[in-house]
């Protein structure tokens, strides 16, 4: 038996199977350098972003953007209720507060924001038709369209609902598979 073919179990000696390098530091410089390199700002990507970079940015800032737009909706609703505009201003204020509240907690965000966008589109079209163009409802419509496409993000009731539905589906599949392995196995045969 040759000495080169054996692997030493003594940590003080090196052999062919030895993988540790005692001259290296405690921290792995490869990992530290890769993280530092990933945070460089690329001027070309900043000036000319791709769609993937834009969606990544939206995904990273979904919660603050959602909170900001929900606050804008609620404040717009409160301000329209505070003005003495009559029944229509009161109705618009209540609708804006409801849409803002649902967006703030993230309940059924996509369908609610799509409905809100349609509501604001109709309201702004009717305001243009009467001769008093309401630019704020038009801007709220575009914001609602963005959130109807983007969704609520990571921290929302929608995510909790999605997780619970997936868990229930998985549980029912496991229950069905377990019952198919019992004495009722012939009932599940295809």
């Amino acid at each position: 038996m040759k000495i080169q073919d054996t692997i030493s179990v003594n940590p003080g000696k090196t052999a062919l199977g030895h993988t540790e390098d005692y001259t290296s530091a405690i921290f792995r410089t490869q990992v530290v350098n890769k993280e530092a390199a990933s945070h460089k700002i690329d001027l070309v990507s900043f000036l000319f972003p791709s769609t993937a970079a834009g969606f990544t940015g939206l995904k990273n800032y979904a919660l603050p953007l959602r909170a900001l737009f929900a606050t804008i909706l609620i404040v717009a609703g409160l301000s329209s209720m505070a003005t003495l505009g009559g029944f229509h201003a009161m109705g618009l204020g209540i609708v804006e507060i409801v849409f803002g509240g649902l967006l703030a907690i993230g309940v059924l965000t996509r369908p609610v924001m799509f409905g809100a966008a349609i509501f604001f589109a109709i309201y702004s079209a009717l305001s243009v038709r009467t001769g008093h163009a309401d630019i704020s409802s038009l801007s709220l419509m575009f914001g609602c369209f963005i959130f109807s496409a983007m969704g609520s993000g990571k921290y929302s009731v929608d995510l909790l609902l999605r997780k619970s539905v997936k868990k229930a589906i998985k549980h029912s599949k496991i229950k069905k598979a377990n019952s198919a392995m019992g004495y009722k196995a012939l009932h599940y045969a295809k």
Side-chain angles (χ1 to χ4, degrees):
M1 177 185 247
K2 295 180 187 176
I3 193 78
Q4 290 92 359
D5 293 338
T6 61
I7 298 174
S8 175
V9 289
N10 187 358
K13 296 191 177 198
T14 58
L16 280 179
H18 187 73
T19 58
E20 283 292 320
D21 184 15
Y22 294 108
T23 60
S24 67
I26 295 173
F27 296 110
R28 303 282 183 192
T29 57
Q30 299 90 359
V31 175
V32 174
N33 288 341
K34 286 190 187 238
E35 185 175 327
S38 68
H39 291 294
K40 290 182 180 176
I41 297 175
D42 187 16
L43 188 61
V44 174
S45 296
F46 181 74
L47 293 175
F48 309 108
S50 64
T51 3
F55 283 123
T56 304
L58 282 176
K59 204 182 285 186
N60 290 340
Y61 301 110
L63 182 63
L65 289 174
R66 191 179 83 209
L68 179 68
F69 191 69
T71 305
I72 290 170
L73 279 171
I74 291 171
V75 168
L78 290 173
S79 67
S80 68
M81 286 176 63
T83 61
L84 300 174
F87 182 72
H88 297 292
M90 183 70 79
L92 178 67
I94 290 172
V95 168
E96 286 174 340
I97 291 172
V98 168
F99 287 149
L102 290 175
L103 180 64
I105 59 175
V107 177
L108 302 172
T109 304
R110 286 190 172 156
V112 167
M113 285 296 106
F114 186 73
I118 297 299
F119 172 78
F120 287 127
I122 292 171
Y123 187 80
S124 64
L126 290 176
S127 70
V128 167
R129 190 172 177 194
T130 59
H132 299 91
D134 189 14
I135 272 305
S136 64
S137 65
L138 195 62
S139 61
L140 291 176
M141 176 197 69
F142 285 117
C144 289
F145 270 132
I146 288 172
F147 280 100
S148 69
M150 191 173 71
S152 61
K154 187 176 179 181
Y155 302 105
S156 64
V157 176
D158 285 345
L159 185 69
L160 295 173
L161 290 173
R162 179 182 172 151
K163 282 183 179 180
S164 65
V165 166
K166 282 190 171 192
K167 188 175 180 180
I169 290 171
K170 184 178 178 182
H171 181 68
S172 69
K173 284 182 181 179
I174 290 172
K175 187 176 178 182
K176 185 177 179 181
N178 287 339
S179 66
M181 296 303 288
Y183 67 94
K184 294 182 180 180
L186 291 177
H187 295 287
Y188 294 100
K190 293 181 181 181

